[in-house]
Structures are given as structure tokens and as C-alpha cells.
Amino acid sequence: MSQTLAAVKGMNDLLPGEIEIWQHVEGLARELFGRFGYGEIRTPMVEDTALFVRSVGEETDIVGKEMYTFDDKGGRSLSLRPEGTAPAARAYIEHSILNQEPLTRWFYTGPMFRYERMKTGRYRQFYQVGAEAYGSKEPAQDVEVMDMVAQFLQALGLQDIALNLNSLGDEACRPAYHAKLVEYLKAHIEELCGDCHRRMETNPLRVLDCKNPKCQEVAGKGPNVLEFLCEPCKAHFDDVQRKLTALEIKYVVNPRMVRGLDYYTRTVFEFIASHPALGTASTVGGGGRYDKLVKSLGGPDVPAVGFACGLDRLVLLLKEGTRKFGASPDLFIAVADPGSQDTAFTLASKLRREGLRVDFDTRGGSLKSQMKRSDKSGARFTLVLGEQERTSGEAKLKRMADGSLIPVSLSGLAAAVREHSATEVAQRGNAT
Ligand code: HAM
């Protein structure tokens, strides 16, 4: 007997029933981000491994432990993208975008890959919708992207999501913070894991996002990055907060939040949900400013800021609600006798051409089983087609909500379905 094959661990199939929620979320993102002037980009799912090593950082968990890296047949080291910021920056440089416009706003959506320990809300292939803005160093740009996430979450109807905000300083003030952090960590070296011993030397900030509880406890009591900000970084951070307040976006300052990627300077933020459905995978989106990344990848000296939201997590939250997603058929055509099957088939095709969502069972079968299927499909109307309807050209449209019968002529079916759907929607609107 041949063994059945299953999807790769941590990688999920998305099927009808659930995909409608995904489509809703992605559609909303496209529409909303478009309103903010962000244009869509699509970059390859595979990049040179060096791109992520040089941007996300060698010492991060993402690059150090979680990347799907392989050699292609030409011996190049490639990696499945674990995130979208580095590929976007690569594309920005490669297409000399700065020569074409001083301010660029891009968004993207698609799968990312990280070999992580799996649990609810944490997968090895997961989906992000993200945005990046290049060319503005102004606090208003930071707040614009946070506003975009806040409006996105609000439009999805998601509540109880806290915006956590921090500043990591820049090349002028971060060295002093680093030095203090290393001094503190050295004093607690016994309590840190082996990885953090190394991180302390190579990249001390990464100790702060070590997943080991003991390291987290030590990190939680370490020096406060905000106390080390230089004047320009402090002014930037203050202005970000003023502007968030002006937009009535609530936030909490969280000086312990450093994010798990190396490229950030100044503002970093995370949107954290408190719904139990996500467990500890509660961060639904995160981002920040990365003013040095484009230059460090060989591009021009361009400041940038962006974010990414985890679609899987947003969908998990939406599944908890009662809202129904996706459109049901407008009409189900059932046949009363096998002789009507071909006419019904042709009619279904014609109505679909006229823009209706039509369900029809190509297998025929008993009228009872077809009516059952119609019920299950959630169709708004059902039309039973038999010899009498075929010969007279007249039929009855059954409104599934109340079982009432509406006389219609087959030649004007599309218009009748539309007209009666509209009155039904209006009546429902009046009733609520
Ligand atoms: P990130 O925080 O690594 O940031 O990921 C952003 C979001 O992706 C997370 O908040 C989470 O919702 C989702 N996510 C991450 N890993 C997983 C996973 N294994 N399973 C499910 N969801 C996950 C970035 O990726 C940055 N590129 C964001 C950014 C854009 N910063 C500036 N611009």
C-alpha cells in the first residue's frame, strides 16, 4: 500500500471555507494601502542568502537558525525569503528607484518562510502583508505607516490590539547603550544561555529577544535604551508620539522591545493582540525605521520605514468572530427531470455570463438531493426547472430565506434575480 503524503510540517493548505477570509483581508489591505498611495510590488520568493545575512543579521534567530537555505544546481547559496523588507530594498536599489522619484511607497503580500518551532499562529510558511516607504526621514513617515496598520486593523474590526512603541537610537547614540548593555550582561553572565554568551560579544541587542526564559528575565532588568537617546533621536521619538496622539492612535512606550531583526534605527513598533486564540503568538504586526539598510546593501543613502502584518494571525482572530466571509450563489438551478438537465446547464452558463453567481449540479440526481445542496450552498434563490418550465418559459423563483415563490420568465431571469436580491437587501437593511 502506498503511503499517503501530507503537507510539509508547519505549512498549511488554505481551502474554500477559510480562503474567503484571506481574500477579504488581502482585498482590504490592497484597497486601504492604495488610499495611502502605496503601490504593489512582487519580488521573488528566493533570494541570494547574502541579502538576508547582510540585512536581517547573522546573529538573529531568523538568519542564524530559521532560514531555508540551499545551494542551487549552479552552486549559489539561495534562501527562501524569511521576510519582505530586504527583498524590497534589493529591488529598490536594483531598479534605481531613487533616480525616478524622491519618495517611494510600496506594499507587498505573500508567503515567507522560517523554520520555527510550530504552534498556533506560528508556521514555517506564513503570509505577510507589508509596506515600505523610502526617502523620508521625517517622524510623519513613521506615523503614516503606523496609522496605516491601525486603520487596517480597525477596518478588519479587530479590537484589543495594543501598539507598543520604542526607539533604538542611531549610530550616534547606540554605541553608549551597547556598552552599558554589555557591562550589565557580563555581570549576569552565569544566568545567560550559551547562545547569549556569544551574542553578548557579537550583537548584544539580540540577547534581548532570546526566547530562553532565564535570558528574558535578565534582559528585562537591563538598561533602558530610551535613557541613552541622543538629542536628534529623542526629538524624533517625541515628535512620533506627538503625531500619534494627534491622530488619536493609542500606544504604550515599551523600552524592552527591540524587534528580532538587525536593520532598525530609531522607531520600532509592534501591534500586540490580547486574544487567547493567538496564545503567545500575539504580535500581529511589527516594523520600524531602517535608515542605514539601503546604503549598507550598496544603494544610495536613503532613509526608510515600514511594517509587516502576519496574515495567518489576523485570519485566526477573524475566525473567532461571527462574521461570514465570501459570497454565496445568487441562484441554484435544480432540475426536476433528466430531460431538463441540458437546458439547465445552458441556462446556468448564460446567467454566469450575465454576471450572476450560479450553482448547478452537473450530476443531476434527485430533486431532493439538489434542494439539499441548494440549502447548503447558501444560495439566495432556487429555480426548479422541469418540462413545464421549459415549454412555457415561465418559472418560479424560490426565495430561500422565507420559501416564498416569485413568478419569473426564463428570458428575464438575471434581471429578476438582481431586482429581488436588491429588495431583499433593502428590507434586511430596514430591519436592522
Ligand atoms: P517580523 O516582526 O519578523 O517583521 O514579522 C512581522 C509579522 O509577521 C509578525 O508580527 C507576525 O505577525 C508575522 N510572523 C512572523 N513570523 C511568523 C510565523 N513564523 N508564523 C506566522 N506569522 C509570523 C518583519 O518581517 C519585518 N520585515 C517587518 C518590517 C517591514 N520592518 C520594516 N519593514
Side-chain angles (χ1 to χ4, degrees):
M1 207 172 71
S2 66
Q3 213 186 344
T4 46
L5 294 170
V8 174
K9 190 173 172 195
M11 305 195 177
N12 301 314
D13 297 315
L14 305 173
L15 307 177
E18 181 184 339
I19 202 80
E20 294 79 5
I21 312 181
W22 288 80
Q23 290 167 340
H24 172 75
V25 178
E26 287 162 358
L28 215 142
R30 277 207 170 81
E31 193 279 319
L32 179 69
F33 298 174
R35 254 191 267 162
F36 277 79
Y38 285 69
E40 183 169 354
I41 57 159
R42 295 190 191 182
T43 61
M45 254 173 270
V46 179
E47 299 273 355
D48 246 314
T49 301
L51 174 65
F52 300 111
V53 174
R54 281 170 58 187
S55 55
V56 175
E58 204 155 12
E59 272 303 329
T60 59
D61 278 357
I62 296 177
V63 168
K65 299 182 177 170
E66 298 167 357
M67 232 160 34
Y68 283 88
T69 298
F70 58 95
D71 285 348
D72 74 359
K73 290 193 198 306
R76 302 171 196 87
S77 178
L78 304 179
S79 293
L80 296 185
R81 63 180 181 196
E83 60 102 53
T85 306
R90 197 258 317 130
Y92 178 85
I93 298 165
E94 192 168 332
H95 299 280
S96 308
I97 302 297
L98 184 63
N99 295 343
Q100 301 161 40
E101 55 186 22
L103 184 61
T104 296
R105 293 177 167 103
W106 281 351
F107 82 90
Y108 50 86
T109 172
M112 309 291 161
F113 303 84
R114 297 181 192 175
Y115 193 83
E116 288 207 72
R117 195 184 292 266
M118 274 192 53
K119 57 190 195 103
T120 305
R122 194 192 291 147
Y123 309 109
R124 292 180 177 169
Q125 174 172 330
F126 61 99
Y127 294 78
Q128 284 186 344
V129 53
E132 316 290 349
Y134 306 90
S136 170
K137 60 179 178 26
E138 298 304 322
Q141 195 61 57
D142 308 31
V143 177
E144 177 184 284
V145 299
M146 285 186 263
D147 183 27
M148 212 155 89
V149 186
Q151 290 199 32
F152 180 46
L153 299 174
Q154 192 186 15
L156 288 170
L158 297 174
Q159 279 154 3
D160 298 327
I161 297 180
L163 167 57
N164 279 233
L165 186 69
N166 196 17
S167 173
L168 299 179
D170 63 6
E171 73 280 11
C173 53
R174 205 180 300 171
Y177 168 66
H178 267 194
K180 196 76 187 167
L181 182 63
V182 171
E183 188 187 312
Y184 167 81
L185 293 173
K186 279 196 171 144
H188 292 81
I189 193 149
E190 310 284 85
E191 297 153 71
L192 299 176
C193 72
D195 279 349
C196 283
H197 286 186
R198 196 189 63 246
R199 288 176 183 133
M200 204 173 68
E201 302 296 337
T202 54
N203 192 344
L205 219 56
R206 294 286 66 92
V207 175
L208 305 194
D209 46 43
C210 177
K211 288 176 184 122
N212 183 313
K214 204 85 193 107
C215 299
Q216 280 179 4
E217 200 185 313
V218 173
K221 295 182 190 142
N224 179 341
V225 64
L226 295 175
E227 286 166 11
F228 291 81
L229 294 187
C230 57
E231 268 317 306
C233 283
K234 190 172 176 318
H236 187 99
F237 193 49
D238 288 346
D239 200 18
V240 164
Q241 293 181 72
R242 252 193 310 279
K243 288 185 160 60
L244 282 171
T245 305
L247 296 187
E248 296 180 21
I249 297 172
K250 292 201 179 67
Y251 64 91
V252 285
V253 173
N254 178 357
R256 306 287 162 209
M257 184 187 60
V258 292
R259 310 263 306 123
L261 306 96
D262 274 356
Y263 45 63
Y264 294 115
T265 47
R266 293 191 168 170
T267 315
V268 286
F269 59 88
E270 283 185 355
F271 284 80
I272 302 175
S274 55
H275 199 288
L278 294 183
T280 53
S282 55
T283 306
V284 293
R289 180 163 276 290
Y290 50 96
D291 291 345
K292 301 291 156 203
L293 178 66
V294 177
K295 183 153 190 247
S296 78
L297 291 175
D301 193 2
V302 175
V305 56
F307 74 87
C309 285
L311 290 179
D312 307 74
R313 295 180 187 180
L314 296 178
V315 169
L316 275 175
L317 289 177
L318 290 174
K319 271 192 193 165
E320 290 294 308
T322 51
R323 184 165 166 194
K324 200 175 164 297
F325 295 90
S328 305
D330 300 306
L331 178 70
F332 186 95
I333 303 178
V335 291
D337 57 276
S340 302
Q341 186 76 8
D342 280 352
T343 312
F345 176 67
T346 312
L347 182 63
S349 168
K350 175 174 168 277
L351 293 173
R352 288 169 183 149
R353 237 170 272 180
E354 289 171 8
L356 288 195
R357 298 174 68 91
V358 181
D359 195 0
F360 164 69
D361 195 334
T362 51
R363 301 165 308 166
S366 74
L367 188 56
K368 190 167 163 216
S369 70
Q370 293 178 71
M371 293 312 278
K372 240 191 193 161
R373 191 184 157 92
S374 172
D375 243 350
K376 200 163 162 226
S377 75
R380 194 167 264 165
F381 297 101
T382 302
L383 181 103
V384 179
L385 193 81
E387 194 183 346
Q388 195 203 324
E389 287 79 12
R390 270 192 290 135
T391 45
S392 68
E394 300 295 320
K396 296 227 164 57
L397 209 50
K398 180 176 176 188
R399 192 200 302 274
M400 299 304 279
D402 59 7
S404 61
L405 295 172
I406 305 160
V408 287
S409 75
L410 291 183
S411 57
L413 202 50
V417 169
R418 277 208 189 89
E419 183 195 328
H420 291 288
S421 297
T423 26
E424 193 187 84
V425 170
Q427 276 165 2
R428 230 184 299 137
N430 289 338
T432 53

